[in-house]
mmCIF file with all atom_site columns, all heavy atoms in Angstrom:
data_model
loop_
_atom_site.group_PDB
_atom_site.id
_atom_site.type_symbol
_atom_site.label_atom_id
_atom_site.label_alt_id
_atom_site.label_comp_id
_atom_site.label_asym_id
_atom_site.label_entity_id
_atom_site.label_seq_id
_atom_site.pdbx_PDB_ins_code
_atom_site.Cartn_x
_atom_site.Cartn_y
_atom_site.Cartn_z
_atom_site.occupancy
_atom_site.B_iso_or_equiv
_atom_site.pdbx_formal_charge
_atom_site.auth_seq_id
_atom_site.auth_comp_id
_atom_site.auth_asym_id
_atom_site.auth_atom_id
_atom_site.pdbx_PDB_model_num
ATOM 1   N N   . ASN B 1 99  ? -48.877 -98.835  6.233  1.00 88.00 ? 149 ASN B N   1
ATOM 2   C CA  . ASN B 1 99  ? -50.323 -98.801  6.434  1.00 88.00 ? 149 ASN B CA  1
ATOM 3   C C   . ASN B 1 99  ? -50.818 -97.642  5.584  1.00 88.00 ? 149 ASN B C   1
ATOM 4   O O   . ASN B 1 99  ? -50.906 -96.503  6.030  1.00 88.00 ? 149 ASN B O   1
ATOM 5   C CB  . ASN B 1 99  ? -50.664 -98.599  7.906  1.00 88.00 ? 149 ASN B CB  1
ATOM 6   C CG  . ASN B 1 99  ? -52.148 -98.771  8.166  1.00 88.00 ? 149 ASN B CG  1
ATOM 7   O OD1 . ASN B 1 99  ? -52.938 -98.933  7.236  1.00 88.00 ? 149 ASN B OD1 1
ATOM 8   N ND2 . ASN B 1 99  ? -52.540 -98.727  9.421  1.00 88.00 ? 149 ASN B ND2 1
ATOM 9   N N   . ALA B 1 100 ? -51.102 -97.947  4.332  1.00 85.00 ? 150 ALA B N   1
ATOM 10  C CA  . ALA B 1 100 ? -51.374 -96.903  3.345  1.00 85.00 ? 150 ALA B CA  1
ATOM 11  C C   . ALA B 1 100 ? -52.871 -96.702  3.156  1.00 85.00 ? 150 ALA B C   1
ATOM 12  O O   . ALA B 1 100 ? -53.686 -97.441  3.702  1.00 85.00 ? 150 ALA B O   1
ATOM 13  C CB  . ALA B 1 100 ? -50.730 -97.285  2.017  1.00 85.00 ? 150 ALA B CB  1
ATOM 14  N N   . ARG B 1 101 ? -53.210 -95.727  2.343  1.00 87.00 ? 151 ARG B N   1
ATOM 15  C CA  . ARG B 1 101 ? -54.633 -95.454  2.125  1.00 87.00 ? 151 ARG B CA  1
ATOM 16  C C   . ARG B 1 101 ? -55.298 -96.589  1.347  1.00 87.00 ? 151 ARG B C   1
ATOM 17  O O   . ARG B 1 101 ? -56.501 -96.737  1.370  1.00 87.00 ? 151 ARG B O   1
ATOM 18  C CB  . ARG B 1 101 ? -54.859 -94.124  1.415  1.00 87.00 ? 151 ARG B CB  1
ATOM 19  C CG  . ARG B 1 101 ? -54.218 -94.007  0.069  1.00 87.00 ? 151 ARG B CG  1
ATOM 20  C CD  . ARG B 1 101 ? -54.755 -92.785  -0.715 1.00 87.00 ? 151 ARG B CD  1
ATOM 21  N NE  . ARG B 1 101 ? -54.913 -91.607  0.063  1.00 87.00 ? 151 ARG B NE  1
ATOM 22  C CZ  . ARG B 1 101 ? -54.286 -90.461  -0.156 1.00 87.00 ? 151 ARG B CZ  1
ATOM 23  N NH1 . ARG B 1 101 ? -53.417 -90.381  -1.130 1.00 87.00 ? 151 ARG B NH1 1
ATOM 24  N NH2 . ARG B 1 101 ? -54.517 -89.413  0.588  1.00 87.00 ? 151 ARG B NH2 1
ATOM 25  N N   . TYR B 1 102 ? -54.505 -97.426  0.676  1.00 86.00 ? 152 TYR B N   1
ATOM 26  C CA  . TYR B 1 102 ? -55.089 -98.595  0.009  1.00 86.00 ? 152 TYR B CA  1
ATOM 27  C C   . TYR B 1 102 ? -55.039 -99.825  0.900  1.00 86.00 ? 152 TYR B C   1
ATOM 28  O O   . TYR B 1 102 ? -55.418 -100.916 0.475  1.00 86.00 ? 152 TYR B O   1
ATOM 29  C CB  . TYR B 1 102 ? -54.404 -98.883  -1.324 1.00 86.00 ? 152 TYR B CB  1
ATOM 30  C CG  . TYR B 1 102 ? -52.927 -98.583  -1.355 1.00 86.00 ? 152 TYR B CG  1
ATOM 31  C CD1 . TYR B 1 102 ? -52.013 -99.485  -0.856 1.00 86.00 ? 152 TYR B CD1 1
ATOM 32  C CD2 . TYR B 1 102 ? -52.466 -97.372  -1.851 1.00 86.00 ? 152 TYR B CD2 1
ATOM 33  C CE1 . TYR B 1 102 ? -50.662 -99.205  -0.871 1.00 86.00 ? 152 TYR B CE1 1
ATOM 34  C CE2 . TYR B 1 102 ? -51.129 -97.079  -1.843 1.00 86.00 ? 152 TYR B CE2 1
ATOM 35  C CZ  . TYR B 1 102 ? -50.233 -97.992  -1.358 1.00 86.00 ? 152 TYR B CZ  1
ATOM 36  O OH  . TYR B 1 102 ? -48.896 -97.704  -1.354 1.00 86.00 ? 152 TYR B OH  1
ATOM 37  N N   . GLY B 1 103 ? -54.548 -99.679  2.120  1.00 84.00 ? 153 GLY B N   1
ATOM 38  C CA  . GLY B 1 103 ? -54.534 -100.800 3.057  1.00 84.00 ? 153 GLY B CA  1
ATOM 39  C C   . GLY B 1 103 ? -53.122 -101.160 3.466  1.00 84.00 ? 153 GLY B C   1
ATOM 40  O O   . GLY B 1 103 ? -52.154 -100.504 3.089  1.00 84.00 ? 153 GLY B O   1
ATOM 41  N N   . GLY B 1 104 ? -53.018 -102.232 4.256  1.00 83.00 ? 154 GLY B N   1
ATOM 42  C CA  . GLY B 1 104 ? -51.702 -102.691 4.673  1.00 83.00 ? 154 GLY B CA  1
ATOM 43  C C   . GLY B 1 104 ? -50.933 -103.221 3.470  1.00 83.00 ? 154 GLY B C   1
ATOM 44  O O   . GLY B 1 104 ? -51.459 -104.017 2.699  1.00 83.00 ? 154 GLY B O   1
ATOM 45  N N   . TYR B 1 105 ? -49.700 -102.800 3.322  1.00 85.00 ? 155 TYR B N   1
ATOM 46  C CA  . TYR B 1 105 ? -48.954 -103.132 2.105  1.00 85.00 ? 155 TYR B CA  1
ATOM 47  C C   . TYR B 1 105 ? -47.486 -103.340 2.446  1.00 85.00 ? 155 TYR B C   1
ATOM 48  O O   . TYR B 1 105 ? -46.904 -102.581 3.216  1.00 85.00 ? 155 TYR B O   1
ATOM 49  C CB  . TYR B 1 105 ? -49.085 -101.978 1.105  1.00 85.00 ? 155 TYR B CB  1
ATOM 50  C CG  . TYR B 1 105 ? -48.599 -102.315 -0.289 1.00 85.00 ? 155 TYR B CG  1
ATOM 51  C CD1 . TYR B 1 105 ? -49.396 -103.058 -1.141 1.00 85.00 ? 155 TYR B CD1 1
ATOM 52  C CD2 . TYR B 1 105 ? -47.352 -101.889 -0.734 1.00 85.00 ? 155 TYR B CD2 1
ATOM 53  C CE1 . TYR B 1 105 ? -48.967 -103.376 -2.413 1.00 85.00 ? 155 TYR B CE1 1
ATOM 54  C CE2 . TYR B 1 105 ? -46.913 -102.203 -2.012 1.00 85.00 ? 155 TYR B CE2 1
ATOM 55  C CZ  . TYR B 1 105 ? -47.730 -102.941 -2.849 1.00 85.00 ? 155 TYR B CZ  1
ATOM 56  O OH  . TYR B 1 105 ? -47.300 -103.258 -4.111 1.00 85.00 ? 155 TYR B OH  1
ATOM 57  N N   . ARG B 1 106 ? -46.928 -104.407 1.892  1.00 84.00 ? 156 ARG B N   1
ATOM 58  C CA  . ARG B 1 106 ? -45.514 -104.682 2.107  1.00 84.00 ? 156 ARG B CA  1
ATOM 59  C C   . ARG B 1 106 ? -44.755 -104.231 0.873  1.00 84.00 ? 156 ARG B C   1
ATOM 60  O O   . ARG B 1 106 ? -44.880 -104.816 -0.196 1.00 84.00 ? 156 ARG B O   1
ATOM 61  C CB  . ARG B 1 106 ? -45.288 -106.168 2.353  1.00 84.00 ? 156 ARG B CB  1
ATOM 62  C CG  . ARG B 1 106 ? -43.839 -106.563 2.550  1.00 84.00 ? 156 ARG B CG  1
ATOM 63  C CD  . ARG B 1 106 ? -43.295 -105.978 3.859  1.00 84.00 ? 156 ARG B CD  1
ATOM 64  N NE  . ARG B 1 106 ? -42.006 -106.559 4.211  1.00 84.00 ? 156 ARG B NE  1
ATOM 65  C CZ  . ARG B 1 106 ? -40.847 -106.155 3.721  1.00 84.00 ? 156 ARG B CZ  1
ATOM 66  N NH1 . ARG B 1 106 ? -40.808 -105.158 2.859  1.00 84.00 ? 156 ARG B NH1 1
ATOM 67  N NH2 . ARG B 1 106 ? -39.725 -106.738 4.097  1.00 84.00 ? 156 ARG B NH2 1
ATOM 68  N N   . GLU B 1 107 ? -43.977 -103.174 1.057  1.00 84.00 ? 157 GLU B N   1
ATOM 69  C CA  . GLU B 1 107 ? -43.168 -102.675 -0.045 1.00 84.00 ? 157 GLU B CA  1
ATOM 70  C C   . GLU B 1 107 ? -41.850 -103.437 -0.032 1.00 84.00 ? 157 GLU B C   1
ATOM 71  O O   . GLU B 1 107 ? -41.202 -103.547 1.015  1.00 84.00 ? 157 GLU B O   1
ATOM 72  C CB  . GLU B 1 107 ? -42.908 -101.186 0.184  1.00 84.00 ? 157 GLU B CB  1
ATOM 73  C CG  . GLU B 1 107 ? -42.596 -100.416 -1.054 1.00 84.00 ? 157 GLU B CG  1
ATOM 74  C CD  . GLU B 1 107 ? -42.429 -98.944  -0.722 1.00 84.00 ? 157 GLU B CD  1
ATOM 75  O OE1 . GLU B 1 107 ? -41.653 -98.627  0.201  1.00 84.00 ? 157 GLU B OE1 1
ATOM 76  O OE2 . GLU B 1 107 ? -43.081 -98.130  -1.355 1.00 84.00 ? 157 GLU B OE2 1
ATOM 77  N N   . GLY B 1 108 ? -41.458 -103.999 -1.137 1.00 88.00 ? 158 GLY B N   1
ATOM 78  C CA  . GLY B 1 108 ? -40.224 -104.785 -1.168 1.00 88.00 ? 158 GLY B CA  1
ATOM 79  C C   . GLY B 1 108 ? -39.458 -104.558 -2.454 1.00 88.00 ? 158 GLY B C   1
ATOM 80  O O   . GLY B 1 108 ? -40.043 -104.398 -3.524 1.00 88.00 ? 158 GLY B O   1
ATOM 81  N N   . LEU B 1 109 ? -38.146 -104.517 -2.340 1.00 90.00 ? 159 LEU B N   1
ATOM 82  C CA  . LEU B 1 109 ? -37.297 -104.294 -3.516 1.00 90.00 ? 159 LEU B CA  1
ATOM 83  C C   . LEU B 1 109 ? -36.116 -105.252 -3.431 1.00 90.00 ? 159 LEU B C   1
ATOM 84  O O   . LEU B 1 109 ? -35.514 -105.414 -2.364 1.00 90.00 ? 159 LEU B O   1
ATOM 85  C CB  . LEU B 1 109 ? -36.797 -102.843 -3.520 1.00 90.00 ? 159 LEU B CB  1
ATOM 86  C CG  . LEU B 1 109 ? -36.068 -102.353 -4.767 1.00 90.00 ? 159 LEU B CG  1
ATOM 87  C CD1 . LEU B 1 109 ? -37.034 -102.254 -5.946 1.00 90.00 ? 159 LEU B CD1 1
ATOM 88  C CD2 . LEU B 1 109 ? -35.457 -100.970 -4.517 1.00 90.00 ? 159 LEU B CD2 1
ATOM 89  N N   . VAL B 1 110 ? -35.802 -105.925 -4.536 1.00 93.00 ? 160 VAL B N   1
ATOM 90  C CA  . VAL B 1 110 ? -34.642 -106.812 -4.574 1.00 93.00 ? 160 VAL B CA  1
ATOM 91  C C   . VAL B 1 110 ? -33.826 -106.517 -5.827 1.00 93.00 ? 160 VAL B C   1
ATOM 92  O O   . VAL B 1 110 ? -34.321 -105.910 -6.780 1.00 93.00 ? 160 VAL B O   1
ATOM 93  C CB  . VAL B 1 110 ? -35.045 -108.312 -4.597 1.00 93.00 ? 160 VAL B CB  1
ATOM 94  C CG1 . VAL B 1 110 ? -35.729 -108.727 -3.308 1.00 93.00 ? 160 VAL B CG1 1
ATOM 95  C CG2 . VAL B 1 110 ? -35.921 -108.615 -5.806 1.00 93.00 ? 160 VAL B CG2 1
ATOM 96  N N   . SER B 1 111 ? -32.574 -106.942 -5.784 1.00 94.00 ? 161 SER B N   1
ATOM 97  C CA  . SER B 1 111 ? -31.739 -106.916 -6.987 1.00 94.00 ? 161 SER B CA  1
ATOM 98  C C   . SER B 1 111 ? -31.618 -108.345 -7.502 1.00 94.00 ? 161 SER B C   1
ATOM 99  O O   . SER B 1 111 ? -31.415 -109.278 -6.714 1.00 94.00 ? 161 SER B O   1
ATOM 100 C CB  . SER B 1 111 ? -30.348 -106.366 -6.658 1.00 94.00 ? 161 SER B CB  1
ATOM 101 O OG  . SER B 1 111 ? -30.419 -104.978 -6.421 1.00 94.00 ? 161 SER B OG  1
#
Side-chain angles (χ1 to χ4, degrees):
Chain B
N149 189 354
R151 59 167 42 119
Y152 35 82
Y155 192 79
R156 178 67 168 83
E157 204 177 51
L159 189 68
V160 294
S161 288

